[in-house]
Amino acid sequence: MAGWTVKRLLDWTRDYLAQKGASSPRREAEELLAHLLDTRRLDLYLDLQRPLTREELERFKALVKRRTRGEPIQYITGRQGFWKHEFLVKPGVLIPRPESEILVQAVLEGLKGREAPIILDVGTGTGCLIVSILADLPGARGIALDIDPGALALTRINASRIKVAERLHLVQGDLLGPFKRESFDAIVSNPPYIAAEEWDTLPGEVRLHEPQKALQGGEKGLYYISRLVAHGWEYLKPGGLIVIEMGWKQKEKVKVLFKGKPYTDIGFLTDLGGRNRAVKARRV
Ligand SMILES: C[S@@+](CC[C@H](N)C(=O)[O-])C[C@H]1O[C@@H](n2cnc3c(N)ncnc32)[C@H](O)[C@@H]1O
């Protein structure tokens, strides 16, 4: 094991992860080593000849092993970037996805001109949506709701790291349950929306490591979305905004859910690949 430097270890890990089928082996090698050495990826390049101790090598080997067994790198490093911030993540809580950033953008745009808005995030997970929104809207207050106390504990930590904790209230509960009518200027949600029949088609990295209860939305995937559409308006102030993430093939079915409900300005948001990833509407 003699003679292992940062450079040699990065090169070796890149090749090893590539052999094991990683799609970005260099980046992953950097992330794992930066995590081990408690530094930033770019800072590794400031001291490429730094030798690794035997103990560091042992710990690194364990990290690489977890990764080659398919564990998401974010659960190994405990971090994921989202919108403008870094969020802490942990097994049992869904890892924030870049495509969910369009929800943040839609809420920020949709709330322009509203003074001191109050926003509810249903199924907050790491808190990535509501924490990002509050950080960009200093006059806003938020409620983060989740059924899972482990998710709420993580949201609390992220809110405090990103300095919005005083404006964020955490609630454990089932969907829209515990609130008064007409409370919110906006409701944002990335609910579970994978259909039960699709579960087996998900990549192993997701299916075997991320929480099923955070992803699966009933037999057809629409269980939570339909409840949010059916009752969300009751909790919105007049003119209030609802933005819900959905599966990219669910547009037609989601459109139907809005029929006969007091919503207006219904529109779909697309990701960079042009796929429908979220729906937004206003309460009449
Ligand atoms: C797809 S994850 C979204 C997490 C986070 N908002 C994000 O975008 O990364 C769905 C979240 O909804 C929560 N959840 C599932 N069923 C729920 C329910 N009945 N009421 C409230 N939250 C629920 C899960 O615990 C999970 O954190």
Side-chain angles (χ1 to χ4, degrees):
M1 302 275 269
W4 285 96
T5 59
V6 163
K7 174 162 179 10
R8 196 172 154 213
L9 200 55
L10 276 179
D11 291 346
W12 181 87
T13 312
R14 176 202 57 206
D15 294 347
Y16 184 67
L17 292 176
Q19 250 178 47
K20 297 280 178 186
S23 56
S24 314
R26 178 94 209 167
R27 186 178 52 72
E28 292 198 0
E30 291 169 355
E31 282 183 18
L32 291 173
L33 193 52
H35 173 61
L36 178 88
L37 300 177
D38 194 20
T39 187
R40 291 179 310 173
R41 265 169 70 200
L42 285 178
D43 289 345
L44 295 172
Y45 290 89
L46 298 177
D47 196 2
L48 282 171
Q49 297 313 318
R50 174 200 191 286
L52 278 288
T53 65
R54 178 179 295 272
E55 187 265 341
E56 283 168 340
L57 284 170
E58 283 307 316
R59 283 198 290 130
F60 190 67
K61 220 159 73 181
L63 299 180
V64 173
K65 197 184 249 177
R66 282 171 69 184
R67 182 63 192 126
T68 55
R69 286 185 176 158
E71 187 170 344
I73 193 152
Q74 296 90 338
Y75 284 155
I76 302 172
T77 62
R79 281 146 218 275
Q80 170 66 14
F82 180 85
W83 194 244
K84 301 175 185 171
H85 307 279
E86 181 183 76
F87 285 81
L88 298 191
V89 300
K90 65 174 184 192
V93 181
L94 194 90
I95 299 163
R97 305 296 206 267
E99 45 290 9
S100 304
E101 292 179 348
I102 55 173
L103 279 81
V104 174
Q105 201 171 358
V107 171
L108 294 176
E109 278 166 16
L111 286 177
K112 272 187 192 145
R114 284 206 174 219
E115 294 274 309
I118 305 179
I119 304 145
L120 169 67
D121 176 14
V122 180
T124 198
T126 53
C128 59
L129 299 176
I130 190 68
V131 168
S132 298
I133 293 166
L134 293 185
D136 273 17
L137 286 182
R141 282 178 296 138
I143 295 184
L145 175 130
D146 208 290
I147 202 155
D148 172 15
L152 291 171
L154 196 54
T155 295
R156 183 186 300 283
I157 297 171
N158 282 321
S160 126
R161 279 165 56 95
I162 298 166
K163 306 208 174 353
V164 300
E166 290 112 70
R167 294 183 283 125
L168 184 63
H169 185 60
L170 305 176
V171 176
Q172 188 186 357
D174 177 21
L175 238 50
L176 293 153
F179 304 111
K180 284 203 198 113
R181 295 172 75 97
E182 301 202 1
S183 298
F184 303 110
D185 295 275
I187 296 174
V188 64
S189 183
N190 173 13
Y193 57 74
I194 309 282
E197 62 203 23
E198 272 180 277
W199 186 252
D200 288 339
T201 68
L202 294 180
E205 196 168 322
V206 177
R207 193 167 29 85
L208 303 173
H209 296 276
E210 295 207 73
Q212 189 164 357
K213 65 183 183 316
L215 287 163
Q216 203 166 298
E219 202 185 330
K220 299 281 170 211
L222 293 169
Y223 175 69
Y224 296 100
I225 297 179
S226 62
R227 283 173 68 194
L228 284 166
V229 175
H231 299 290
W233 64 272
E234 297 168 22
Y235 298 89
L236 285 172
K237 298 177 188 171
L241 177 73
I242 187 162
V243 184
I244 309 172
E245 186 165 325
M246 59 182 214
W248 61 278
K249 295 182 191 156
Q250 290 172 334
K251 178 178 175 182
E252 294 312 317
K253 289 191 179 120
V254 168
K255 221 190 235 174
V256 173
L257 301 175
F258 283 86
K259 286 225 166 97
K261 300 282 183 311
Y263 291 107
T264 179
D265 292 344
I266 300 161
F268 289 85
L269 308 171
T270 51
D271 63 17
L272 291 173
R275 298 193 290 196
N276 293 295
R277 298 308 307 244
V279 60
K280 64 173 179 160
R282 285 197 184 271
R283 181 186 165 169
V284 173

